[in-house]
Amino acid sequence: MASEKKSAVLVILESPGYWLMLKRNRTPNLGLYTPVGGKLEPGESPRAAAIREVKEEVGIKLQDISYSGLLVDSSPRDYNWICFVYRARVNYFKPPICDEGKLSWIPVDSLDTLPRPASDSYLYRYILSEQPFFLNAVYSDEDCLVEISEEISGEIHSV
């Protein structure tokens, strides 16, 4: 049975040519590389959650952050998320130790070679092109991505 949608943020931290990625040591996405982020707390705005999550996971206080788009994951089981995606340009720094997994600076041109959630290659395409997006990702009973559509352009990709 499908679970209620959970609200979360993802934050792309970028230094010229690199994104800071987290190899997760927890579910969801255990063992996969994702941007930093996390769930919204009750009464918290997505922007405030993005700033808080970066401070908690990376140890920096963002001064400049921009909204990129929305990713909605829908599954007949328990993988149901509304993810507000942000982007922030930062100076390169040594990644700190993080309870959520291992942080590493990854060259942008090698993002597609990383183990990552199925929807992320579509997400990264929009972020890199600096196009606003509203992605709907639909998953099977086995939590495999079966379709992703972009609501603004009307593009639909069967996977």
Side-chain angles (χ1 to χ4, degrees):
M1 178 178 208
S3 66
E4 195 171 305
K5 291 236 188 272
K6 298 173 267 306
S7 297
V9 293
L10 293 174
V11 184
I12 306 293
L13 294 175
E14 59 184 329
S15 191
Y18 292 86
W19 284 7
L20 187 67
M21 301 294 284
L22 177 68
K23 185 176 182 184
R24 293 189 52 82
N25 64 11
R26 300 180 182 174
T27 59
N29 300 317
L30 176 68
L32 302 180
Y33 285 84
T34 67
V36 297
K39 295 179 194 158
L40 274 71
E41 293 179 353
E44 187 176 42
S45 73
R47 179 178 294 277
I51 292 167
R52 175 185 54 76
E53 286 288 345
V54 169
K55 178 71 173 149
E56 289 176 5
E57 293 181 14
V58 181
I60 62 172
K61 171 102 169 124
L62 292 177
Q63 300 299 320
D64 188 23
I65 186 170
S66 59
Y67 177 74
S68 294
L70 189 68
L71 169 64
V72 176
D73 293 315
S74 298
S75 165
R77 297 176 13 136
D78 64 353
Y79 195 72
N80 290 285
W81 295 89
I82 298 172
C83 296
F84 300 88
V85 182
Y86 289 86
R87 187 176 190 177
R89 290 176 173 86
V90 297
N91 292 325
Y92 181 87
F93 57 89
K94 183 179 180 206
I97 294 172
C98 177
D99 290 343
E100 303 280 330
K102 182 173 175 28
L103 290 164
S104 303
W105 287 104
I106 305 295
V108 171
D109 59 4
S110 66
L111 289 170
D112 279 343
T113 66
L114 296 176
R116 65 197 180 284
S119 60
D120 283 14
S121 59
Y122 299 94
L123 177 73
Y124 299 163
R125 221 176 295 153
Y126 285 96
I127 291 167
L128 289 168
S129 69
E130 299 190 10
Q131 289 180 287
F133 59 87
F134 175 178
L135 293 171
N136 272 311
V138 178
Y139 292 82
S140 69
D141 286 334
E142 296 79 31
D143 288 334
C144 294
L145 182 65
V146 293
E147 182 180 280
I148 192 160
S149 60
E150 202 291 310
E151 294 287 323
I152 297 171
S153 69
E155 282 183 47
I156 298 175
H157 304 274
S158 294
V159 181

